[in-house]
Amino acid sequence: MAGPHLQQPSFLLATLKADCVNKPFAQRCHDLETVIEELPAKELHGIFPWLVESIFGSLDGIIVGWNLRCLQGRTNPNEYSVALDFLDPSGPMMKLVYKLQAEEYRYDFPVSYLPGPVKASIQEQVLPECSLYHNKVQFPSSGGLGLNLALNPFEYYMFYFAISLITQKNSPVTHHVSPSNSAYFILVDTYLKCFLPTEGSVLPPPSSNPGGAIPSPTPRSPAVPFSSYGMHHTSLLKRHIAHQPSVNADPASQEIWRSETLLQIFVEMWLHHYSLEMYQKMQSPHVKESFKPTEEHVLVVRLLVKHLHAFSNSLKPEPLSPSAHSHTASPLEEFKRVVIPRFVQEKLYIFLQHCFGHWPLDASFRAVLEMWLSYLQPWRYAPEKPPQSTEPLPRSVSEKWAAFIQENLLMYTKLFVGFLNRALRTDLVSPKNALMVFRVAKVFAQPNLAEMILKGLKLLISLKVSLFSKRANQLVMHALQDNEDRVLKLAQLICQAQQTAKSISDHSAETMATQSFFSWFRFTPSDMNGSYTGNDLDEIGQDSIKKTDEYLEKALEYLCQIFKIINGLRRFEVQYQGDAELQPIRSYENATLVRLLFRLSSVLNDRFADQMEVLCSREDFVGRLCRYHLINPHLVQKIRMETT
């Protein structure tokens, strides 16, 4: 939607709309590039809202636009290449944005399409904490309905780009689409690298005036009286820019607003769909979920998380002299310092908390899991290279990350409990579910990570209750007790899953051998009396069953390591308790032979029990020999009665 001051559709707009029907995609983009280069901003102003909508689709999802989320180079290489070139940060579309930005045009974006918490806040005339919305809310003119945000061209373009990931959920798909290979995913990555660079500074926008500069947005008077919730603060970067003596003195300062604006829009559109109040209400089974993220949505957020870690980790080391710091720290460096705690941390935690509690109990949760694990490991995206080693030993987590872990304790503790709750309700015989348990256990078992989490918990509780360290330790241990109980249950579930997978594997091998034998006599499987109906592992194959067992075995080992460190009191051993003759068959044993020998020994025990008891009761050498090699059959029966 455009502002009320926009003129009626021009002849240019009518011509471009007709071209959408009559000309191929590549020709339309070429013609648009010519129009953008040759026409002044005054004429381009009228086509901008239509062009943005025709690319990213309408906010109600009816108009699909270029369908960037389904456009892939493998299936449609020509349109894919043309679209990426046209929407590139240095391409024609961004040139149009900057040309209009120089004239300070404004475009209306309806508040009704903003994420739920933001929309509710603005409609209640409470100013959202994010500075992105400050001085932008406008009442409708001419008796219109609904509130709007008055956005500059860059904001308007990025709002539509970001929200198209959410609104365009019912796009027509005629083939399998890999989200990470789509034009949309590639553009997200491109924009992040351009406006949040890990090396150098943000590239200045192309200017139509030689030596000129595109001005940063100027503050506007609020059109609606708002009260503010929370302690919202003016952007550190905009405050820095405002004190620049000249707009051309520092290009990085002049254009840093694009970096902050891009990040705020991405975070608001992709993560800010839940608030703490809303999350608490949604714990009730009677409340319908208002927003359901897709797997593609989560993959894009993971891309954002990984890039923000790399961006933040590219912060230059602080100079030794405080005076030197005040003169050399650029706005971009200051942005790197605060980007995660100020803009991302809280909203991402609430988003993940919702996903852990509401995502279906299936393999698609892997996307959420990997996004969470990416956030927990900022050291994976640090510029320094790990030391070369001939032994594949896990790399110890450096103490330099202790501050990050302390600031994100809920990410490491509360969400870990959320994962345990999910794992206890899933079928761990499935290789995909077993892999997820293995991945989490492996990450948390990294050397020194558990110790730093424990230190962070102790510090938090010490500060909170103002007690001595001994009392704080007791509170920490009490808080971790529930976690340990869950881990013990998970360990037992893992053992059961291993036994089940092994049984399926053994049965599958025996069935294949039997079928092979009976095939000589032209028998089919249906001719044989068998009650076993099969399992999904039968279709996966023996290799996957072996992989499942490996995942579960390593996960069990990692879980033991983690809680040996955190508890500090004892190491729980997971072992079979019961009749030794009925324990699970080992992977290195011959299942058929074990079962055959067990039946044979059972027959011998039943037939010669009295004689063996008499022999074992003798006090001579024969008695001692029998007591060493034989088991009292009555004792065996007693054990079996107790364990059933």
Side-chain angles (χ1 to χ4, degrees):
M1 290 187 178
H5 48 273
L6 205 61
Q7 297 178 357
Q8 293 297 319
S10 63
F11 175 75
L12 173 62
L13 180 58
T15 303
L16 293 175
K17 287 183 176 180
D19 289 345
C20 290
V21 179
N22 302 322
K23 292 184 178 180
F25 180 74
Q27 183 62 45
R28 298 201 314 264
C29 289
H30 179 268
D31 292 347
L32 281 170
E33 182 175 2
T34 303
V35 167
I36 293 170
E37 288 285 347
E38 296 180 354
L39 295 184
K42 184 177 181 180
E43 294 189 44
L44 296 173
H45 167 54
I47 69 167
F48 182 65
W50 166 83
L51 181 56
V52 170
E53 186 177 81
S54 68
I55 294 173
F56 301 124
S58 58
L59 296 175
D60 56 14
I62 296 176
I63 299 175
V64 176
W66 290 5
N67 203 10
L68 296 171
R69 292 169 45 244
C70 297
L71 183 59
Q72 299 204 345
R74 179 176 55 85
T75 57
N76 202 338
N78 292 333
E79 288 194 10
Y80 176 84
S81 177
V82 170
L84 290 182
D85 289 343
F86 189 83
L87 301 177
D88 188 81
S90 59
M93 191 64 191
M94 291 305 294
K95 290 180 180 178
L96 172 59
V97 168
Y98 295 134
K99 184 179 283 192
L100 296 172
Q101 188 82 23
E103 302 296 330
E104 299 189 8
Y105 286 114
R106 292 294 185 269
Y107 302 91
D108 287 351
F109 188 95
V111 169
S112 58
Y113 287 102
L114 293 175
V118 180
K119 176 174 64 176
S121 174
I122 293 177
Q123 289 175 344
E124 294 171 4
Q125 296 194 0
V126 178
L127 184 64
E129 186 174 354
C130 178
S131 61
L132 180 67
Y133 306 106
H134 295 185
N135 303 324
K136 292 186 175 69
V137 181
Q138 302 290 314
F139 273 127
S141 61
S142 304
L145 298 176
L147 296 168
N148 294 305
L149 297 180
L151 305 177
N152 66 48
F154 184 82
E155 292 167 338
Y156 188 80
Y157 175 84
M158 287 301 173
F159 259 83
Y160 262 85
F161 173 74
I163 208 169
S164 65
L165 178 66
I166 311 300
T167 57
Q168 302 293 321
K169 287 187 176 181
N170 300 318
S171 303
V173 179
T174 57
H175 56 274
H176 175 70
V177 175
S178 173
S180 59
N181 293 326
S182 70
Y184 187 87
F185 195 90
I186 300 301
L187 279 172
V188 171
D189 187 49
T190 303
Y191 290 155
L192 288 173
K193 289 177 179 176
C194 175
F195 298 109
L196 300 171
T198 56
E199 296 181 0
S201 58
V202 183
L203 294 177
S207 175
S208 57
N209 301 321
I214 304 300
S216 59
T218 55
R220 308 179 73 219
S221 300
V224 182
F226 279 90
S227 59
S228 175
Y229 68 80
M231 292 298 292
H232 75 276
H233 39 258
T234 306
S235 164
L236 167 70
L237 301 169
K238 290 179 180 176
R239 191 164 62 245
H240 188 117
I241 296 166
H243 288 88
Q244 293 294 329
S246 169
V247 292
N248 293 319
D250 184 355
S253 298
Q254 174 193 322
E255 287 304 324
I256 197 68
W257 64 268
R258 291 179 298 158
S259 303
E260 184 177 353
T261 299
L262 176 96
L263 177 62
Q264 286 183 320
I265 291 173
F266 284 3
V267 170
E268 289 295 304
M269 295 301 106
W270 297 341
L271 296 179
H272 198 184
H273 292 274
Y274 316 102
S275 62
L276 287 174
E277 296 79 10
M278 183 183 296
Y279 181 79
Q280 291 169 357
K281 291 178 182 178
M282 289 183 64
Q283 302 311 301
S284 170
H286 305 292
V287 177
K288 185 178 179 181
E289 188 176 6
S290 59
F291 177 79
K292 295 181 180 180
T294 63
E295 187 174 352
E296 178 190 11
H297 180 174
V298 173
L299 290 174
V300 172
V301 173
R302 186 189 180 212
L303 176 64
L304 172 65
V305 167
K306 291 166 65 176
H307 184 83
L308 288 179
H309 274 322
F311 177 69
S312 181
N313 290 336
S314 66
L315 178 67
K316 297 176 182 177
E318 293 187 9
L320 299 177
S321 170
S323 60
H325 170 74
S326 62
H327 291 293
T328 59
S330 69
L332 189 62
E333 293 299 300
E334 292 185 28
F335 190 37
K336 292 177 182 179
R337 197 184 314 278
V338 302
V339 62
I340 291 179
R342 178 175 294 182
F343 296 99
V344 179
Q345 184 175 292
E346 181 181 342
K347 292 183 176 69
L348 180 63
Y349 170 71
I350 297 174
F351 181 84
L352 280 170
Q353 193 177 35
H354 174 86
C355 290
F356 273 59
H358 293 80
W359 201 276
L361 289 171
D362 57 28
S364 67
F365 185 72
R366 176 77 186 277
V368 178
L369 185 85
E370 293 299 337
M371 187 250 285
W372 173 50
L373 296 181
S374 292
Y375 184 80
L376 296 185
Q377 303 176 87
W379 46 87
R380 289 187 58 192
Y381 311 100
E384 64 265 16
K385 299 294 182 181
Q388 296 295 327
S389 174
T390 55
E391 299 180 4
L393 297 175
R395 186 184 177 191
S396 179
V397 179
S398 171
E399 288 291 334
K400 66 177 284 189
W401 302 106
F404 178 86
I405 293 171
Q406 291 171 9
E407 293 170 359
N408 293 273
L409 274 177
L410 288 176
M411 290 280 195
Y412 290 93
T413 55
K414 189 75 177 291
L415 292 184
F416 181 73
V417 174
F419 173 75
L420 291 178
N421 290 335
R422 289 185 62 90
L424 291 172
R425 294 153 55 203
T426 56
D427 177 17
L428 297 184
V429 180
S430 166
K432 293 180 179 179
N433 291 336
L435 175 60
M436 285 192 278
V437 174
F438 163 75
R439 289 282 297 121
V440 173
K442 182 179 180 181
V443 167
F444 277 83
Q446 292 177 88
N448 202 36
L449 177 57
E451 291 91 337
M452 285 197 285
I453 295 174
L454 180 59
K455 290 178 183 176
L457 285 169
K458 289 180 178 179
L459 177 62
L460 176 67
I461 295 178
S462 297
L463 295 174
K464 186 175 181 180
V465 300
S466 301
L467 296 176
F468 295 102
S469 58
K470 183 177 181 180
R471 175 57 178 159
N473 288 341
Q474 293 174 351
L475 291 174
V476 170
M477 294 305 176
H478 179 73
L480 293 175
Q481 187 63 46
D482 290 341
N483 286 2
E484 184 178 339
D485 292 341
R486 288 186 178 91
V487 172
L488 284 169
K489 291 179 182 178
L490 179 59
Q492 294 169 357
L493 193 63
I494 289 174
C495 291
Q496 294 173 9
Q498 286 179 298
Q499 182 179 352
T500 303
K502 186 65 173 63
S503 300
I504 294 172
S505 176
D506 293 340
H507 184 88
S508 299
E510 291 176 6
T511 302
M512 291 175 63
T514 304
Q515 290 177 359
S516 177
F517 174 76
F518 279 99
S519 65
W520 288 91
F521 302 96
R522 300 184 182 279
F523 283 114
T524 63
S526 59
D527 297 325
M528 292 176 281
N529 295 324
S531 58
Y532 179 74
T533 58
N535 181 281
D536 61 344
L537 286 176
D538 294 334
E539 300 178 2
I540 296 173
Q542 294 293 318
D543 290 341
S544 291
I545 297 176
K546 182 180 178 182
K547 206 69 177 174
T548 299
D549 188 64
E550 291 176 0
Y551 288 146
L552 295 177
E553 190 69 31
K554 292 298 294 184
L556 200 58
E557 178 184 332
Y558 288 139
L559 290 173
C560 290
Q561 292 177 15
I562 295 167
F563 276 83
K564 177 185 175 182
I565 294 170
I566 291 184
N567 192 301
L569 300 175
R570 63 185 177 87
R571 175 178 179 177
F572 62 88
E573 297 290 345
V574 179
Q575 57 184 2
Y576 182 83
Q577 295 179 343
D579 185 359
E581 300 297 325
L582 298 179
Q583 60 183 305
I585 299 173
R586 302 293 189 271
S587 59
Y588 51 81
E589 295 176 327
N590 185 307
T592 304
L593 188 58
V594 168
R595 294 190 180 99
L596 178 62
L597 291 176
F598 174 74
R599 294 192 185 99
L600 177 61
S601 62
S602 298
V603 171
L604 293 176
N605 287 333
D606 291 341
R607 180 169 299 182
F608 301 107
D610 295 335
Q611 291 91 325
M612 286 190 288
E613 185 175 0
V614 171
L615 289 173
C616 289
S617 63
R618 292 174 55 169
E619 297 298 330
D620 54 6
F621 172 78
V622 174
R624 290 195 298 272
L625 182 66
C626 290
R627 284 193 295 274
Y628 182 82
H629 289 286
L630 302 177
I631 300 177
N632 189 323
H634 299 293
L635 180 61
V636 171
Q637 186 65 23
K638 182 180 179 182
I639 293 174
R640 291 179 181 174
M641 291 291 291
E642 291 177 349
T643 56
T644 57

